[in-house]
């Protein structure tokens, strides 16, 4: 179905969904929002309005209400093959391939124009064999574009990947997310000015003419209430979204935890770690799956 609507001068038809939580900067974060009976959750793939009938493709990392009461979402952009080819040569591109990037941007929730589907090459091939007619708006991603380089990227490790409705049509073996490390990120708008996860140069522009050309499926996912922000490779500091979680006594030496990394190169990735030392506001951990640069033991 195709329809367009000018949103200028009109009130927002977006309604928050799920239980909200407040971060240390007093911003209310939400796990999802509803529009016209459709729910779009954090950690989902979405289309973002562009000029005319074009759309950008993005991964929705966070959604919140800013201090002026405006509904905001933080998205992580994908680049299409032609965008990457304009910078560097691309070997063996898939006809539907897109490249995930580390570039994030905070935009109005009104710019989100429905759910998208992005699959690994393996899952795309399986889906094309089962229902090829449904793949017209499905994209493939197996590589990341970062710092003018293309590197392999396992999209199935991204949180929310297996929540995509199209994967429910395949075998039940695809329905459960693996317990290995997953990529995900929740941050406030004010943090966009620092770190490698911010897109430099001109921001992508959106239009207020909303054009929807995909069927939306209602679903919700949970939202993490605690944000771990880490800095430094040797003894990272621990910051919590809520003050009642700021005491190191919550963690024990030798305890197994999951940690959201902010280090350059692996920013936004979740890792399994073992607690080595604990103080009131800091703790030292050892990664279970990441070796140190000198090759002697795992990174601490």
């Amino acid at each position: 179905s195709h329809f367009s609507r000018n949103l200028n001068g009109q009130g927002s038809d977006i309604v928050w969904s799920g239980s909200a939580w407040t971060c240390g900067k007093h911003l209310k974060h939400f796990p999802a929002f509803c529009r016209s009976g459709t729910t779009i959750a954090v950690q989902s793939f979405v289309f973002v309005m562009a000029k005319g009938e074009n759309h950008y493709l993005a991964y929705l990392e966070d959604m919140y209400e800013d201090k002026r009461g405006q509904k905001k979402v933080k998205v992580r952009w994908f680049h299409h093959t032609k965008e990457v080819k304009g910078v560097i040569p691309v070997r063996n591109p898939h006809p539907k391939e897109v490249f995930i990037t580390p570039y994030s941007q905070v935009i109005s929730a009104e710019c989100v124009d429905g759910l998208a589907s992005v699959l690994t090459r393996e899952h795309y091939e399986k889906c094309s064999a089962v229902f090829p007619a449904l793949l017209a708006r499905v994209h493939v991603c197996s590589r990341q574009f970062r710092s003018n380089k293309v590197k392999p990227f396992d999209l199935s490790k991204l949180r929310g990947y297996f929540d995509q409705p199209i994967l429910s049509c395949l075998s039940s073996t695809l329905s459960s997310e693996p317990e290995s490390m997953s990529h995900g990120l929740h941050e406030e708008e004010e943090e966009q000015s620092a770190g490698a996860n911010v897109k430099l140069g001109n921001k992508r522009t959106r239009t207020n003419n909303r054009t929807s050309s995909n069927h939306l499926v209602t679903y919700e996912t949970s939202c993490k209430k605690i944000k771990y922000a880490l800095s430094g490779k040797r003894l990272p500091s621990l910051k919590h979204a809520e003050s009642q979680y700021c005491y190191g006594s919550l963690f024990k030496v030798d305890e197994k935890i999951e940690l959201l990394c902010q280090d350059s190169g692996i920013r936004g990735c979740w890792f399994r770690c073992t607690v080595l030392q604990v103080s009131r506001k800091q703790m030292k951990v050892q990664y279970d799956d990441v070796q140190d640069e000198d090759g002697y033991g795992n990174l601490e």
Side-chain angles (χ1 to χ4, degrees), residues 14-23 26-34 39-44 60-74 109 185-188 219-226 241-242:
I14 292 177
V15 178
W16 293 124
S17 176
S19 300
W21 63 278
T22 304
C23 68
H26 306 291
L27 300 175
K28 292 184 69 176
H29 296 250
F30 296 84
F33 68 78
C34 294
T39 300
I40 297 180
V42 172
Q43 299 172 356
S44 59
L60 206 162
E61 296 184 324
D62 194 11
M63 57 180 67
Y64 60 90
E65 196 168 281
D66 66 14
K67 295 179 181 179
R68 293 181 295 177
Q70 296 181 339
K71 296 177 175 63
K72 298 289 187 178
V73 295
K74 180 187 174 186
L185 189 61
H186 295 290
E187 294 183 44
E188 291 74 47
Y219 68 95
E220 295 185 21
T221 59
S222 60
C223 181
K224 289 284 186 181
K225 289 190 175 182
I226 303 176
E242 302 183 46

Side-chain angles (χ1 to χ4, degrees), residues 70-256:
Q70 296 181 339
K71 296 177 175 63
K72 298 289 187 178
V73 295
K74 180 187 174 186
V75 295
R76 179 176 178 180
W77 296 115
F78 287 86
H79 280 350
H80 292 277
T81 303
K82 61 182 180 180
E83 296 177 273
V84 177
K85 276 186 173 181
V87 180
I88 59 173
V90 178
R91 296 181 179 179
N92 304 319
H94 190 280
K96 305 297 293 293
E97 185 169 13
V98 291
F99 298 81
I100 194 167
T101 74
Y103 310 132
S104 297
Q105 187 175 341
V106 175
I107 63 176
S108 170
E110 295 283 353
C111 296
V112 176
D113 198 24
L115 296 173
S117 297
V118 186
L119 304 177
T120 64
R121 287 203 179 199
E122 177 187 1
H123 292 165
Y124 183 89
E125 296 302 327
K126 289 183 178 180
C127 289
S128 64
V130 178
F131 34 80
L134 299 182
L135 298 181
R137 294 177 63 83
V138 177
H139 294 84
V140 177
C141 179
S142 60
R143 292 184 282 186
Q144 181 184 44
F145 178 71
R146 181 184 183 129
S147 302
N148 293 340
K149 295 180 180 179
V150 171
K151 296 182 179 180
F153 186 89
D154 188 353
L155 193 73
S156 65
K157 301 292 179 66
L158 203 65
R159 288 184 177 271
Y161 174 83
F162 287 92
D163 293 330
Q164 296 182 88
I166 192 170
L167 290 177
S168 64
C169 300
L170 296 181
S171 64
S172 59
T173 58
L174 301 180
S175 62
S176 60
E177 185 174 353
E179 296 181 357
S180 55
M181 71 174 186
S182 299
H183 306 274
L185 189 61
H186 295 290
E187 294 183 44
E188 291 74 47
E189 180 178 5
E190 288 81 359
E191 293 178 337
Q192 292 300 302
S193 60
N197 220 30
V198 181
K199 183 176 182 179
L200 302 178
N202 295 330
K203 292 185 177 181
R204 288 186 164 183
T205 56
R206 281 80 52 199
T207 177
N208 282 333
N209 293 323
R210 181 166 178 256
T211 304
S212 177
S213 57
N214 63 307
H215 295 284
L216 304 180
V217 181
T218 301
Y219 68 95
E220 295 185 21
T221 59
S222 60
C223 181
K224 289 284 186 181
K225 289 190 175 182
I226 303 176
K227 179 178 76 68
Y228 295 94
L230 300 167
S231 61
K233 290 188 176 181
R234 295 298 174 182
L235 186 60
S237 61
L238 181 66
K239 298 178 182 178
H240 291 286
E242 302 183 46
S243 59
Q244 62 264 39
Y245 294 106
C246 68
Y247 297 98
S249 59
L250 289 176
F251 303 96
K252 308 296 182 183
V253 175
D254 295 329
E255 185 178 9
K256 296 290 185 180

Side-chain angles (χ1 to χ4, degrees), residues 49 213 266:
M49 290 179 287
S213 57
I266 51 178

Side-chain angles (χ1 to χ4, degrees), residues 159 181-185 224 226-239 251 256-263 266-275 283-288 290 299-300:
R159 288 184 177 271
M181 71 174 186
S182 299
H183 306 274
L185 189 61
K224 289 284 186 181
I226 303 176
K227 179 178 76 68
Y228 295 94
L230 300 167
S231 61
K233 290 188 176 181
R234 295 298 174 182
L235 186 60
S237 61
L238 181 66
K239 298 178 182 178
F251 303 96
K256 296 290 185 180
I257 64 170
E258 190 177 28
L259 175 147
L260 178 59
C261 187
Q262 300 286 64
D263 289 339
I266 51 178
R267 178 182 174 90
C269 300
W270 290 87
F271 292 91
R272 296 178 298 176
C273 295
T274 302
V275 177
M283 65 180 182
K284 184 176 183 180
V285 301
Q286 183 179 57
Y287 290 79
D288 291 356
V290 180
L299 179 66
E300 296 181 356

